[in-house]
Amino acid sequence: MVPRRLTGVRDTFAGYRARLVEGLRAKGIRDLAVLKAFAETPRHVFVPEAVRHRAYEDAALPIGNGQTISQPFTQARYLEALRLRGRERVLEIGTGSGYQTALLAALTSTVFSVERVRSLAVAAQLALREAAVTNASVLLGDGTLGWSAYAPYDAILVAAGGPEVPPPLIEQLAPAGRLLIPLGAAGGAVQVLTLVERVGTEGEREGEGRGPDLRYTPLGTARFVPLLGEHGHHA
């Protein structure tokens, strides 16, 4: 049986994906929905032809413009930490190749993704179309500003390291929403992968006349490209 997400894609990589999934499971990924998303999403569609033979290695690969498609295990950690259940509206900052966008689309109701590099945004849109992903949209723009037109979001995933959580992203996070971002100083070797949860009720916050209550949970170290933009690092 051909997985539903591969409709329209000539699929000769099923065995490679199965081995990738077993590798993720062996490294501790337990969320069955996350593993299923990796089993059904064609990573080879999202990498350049020159490295397509390496598409299902558990490794980061170059995609041009100084950017990479992240290591699958790193992406699986991200997705598992967000605890997605299938009905969420999700904002992704840093579309990149579009592969993580496709994984999110397999796990949630709707995905809105922002990419600052035009060539990457265009390539990602084409790859998403080839992979028959229909519930994801890509915007060319400054990711640190989010995508306010479709807020609030139940979950926000930031695929770049910033000095702090951009205030617009907090504003666009729904009550009880979860935001995942690598945090670290400019030029730092590593960032701290941080889960930010918006707690308390909207009514309580409005009555007290203050901003949202946030809970920060460090999840370990990470290494991502810098988050550039108005509320990120400066280019």
Side-chain angles (χ1 to χ4, degrees):
M1 178 177 178
V2 178
R4 63 177 178 83
R5 299 189 58 75
L6 301 183
T7 303
V9 177
R10 184 172 179 270
D11 185 23
T12 59
F13 293 87
Y16 295 100
R17 279 196 304 280
R19 283 196 288 274
L20 174 61
V21 168
E22 286 309 307
L24 296 177
R25 196 192 306 271
K27 290 183 177 182
I29 302 302
R30 293 290 177 263
D31 189 312
L32 294 180
V34 170
L35 293 170
K36 183 173 184 286
F38 277 90
E40 294 186 346
T41 304
R43 192 176 190 237
H44 62 279
V45 169
F46 297 91
V47 302
E49 185 69 40
V51 293
R52 190 156 292 180
H53 63 289
R54 300 183 57 197
Y56 294 99
E57 293 180 10
D58 189 19
L61 299 173
I63 58 173
N65 291 280
Q67 306 294 308
T68 60
I69 181 172
S70 296
Q71 178 190 11
F73 175 66
T74 299
Q75 292 174 310
R77 279 180 64 206
Y78 249 54
L79 297 171
E80 197 167 56
L82 283 176
R83 306 190 303 273
L84 300 170
R85 293 296 176 260
R87 296 183 178 180
E88 297 89 350
R89 183 197 306 256
V90 177
L91 174 66
E92 177 190 39
I93 305 303
T95 313
S97 69
Y99 178 59
Q100 187 166 257
T101 316
L103 292 169
L104 284 167
L107 291 165
T108 62
S109 173
T110 315
V111 181
F112 297 91
S113 187
V114 184
E115 173 56 54
R116 64 183 295 273
V117 180
R118 179 179 296 276
S119 60
L120 293 179
V122 171
Q125 288 173 318
L126 293 174
L128 288 165
R129 190 176 308 143
E130 184 177 352
V133 176
T134 59
N135 59 331
S137 301
V138 177
L139 173 72
L140 177 67
D142 181 350
T144 69
L145 301 178
W147 194 342
S148 61
Y150 298 100
Y153 299 99
D154 303 298
I156 299 176
L157 189 157
V158 184
E164 61 180 3
V165 182
L169 301 187
I170 294 297
E171 294 169 6
Q172 294 172 33
L173 188 63
R178 302 171 300 284
L179 183 153
L180 200 59
I181 182 172
L183 295 176
V190 295
Q191 302 103 16
V192 176
L193 183 62
T194 305
L195 178 66
V196 182
E197 297 173 274
R198 189 167 181 168
V199 297
T201 67
E202 199 69 34
E204 288 173 348
R205 287 195 293 272
E206 290 175 355
E208 295 171 359
R210 60 187 177 87
D213 293 323
L214 303 173
R215 179 167 59 225
Y216 290 75
T217 305
L219 300 179
T221 59
R223 189 187 299 270
F224 280 80
V225 296
L227 177 63
L228 302 180
E230 183 176 334
H231 298 280
H233 296 300
H234 299 291

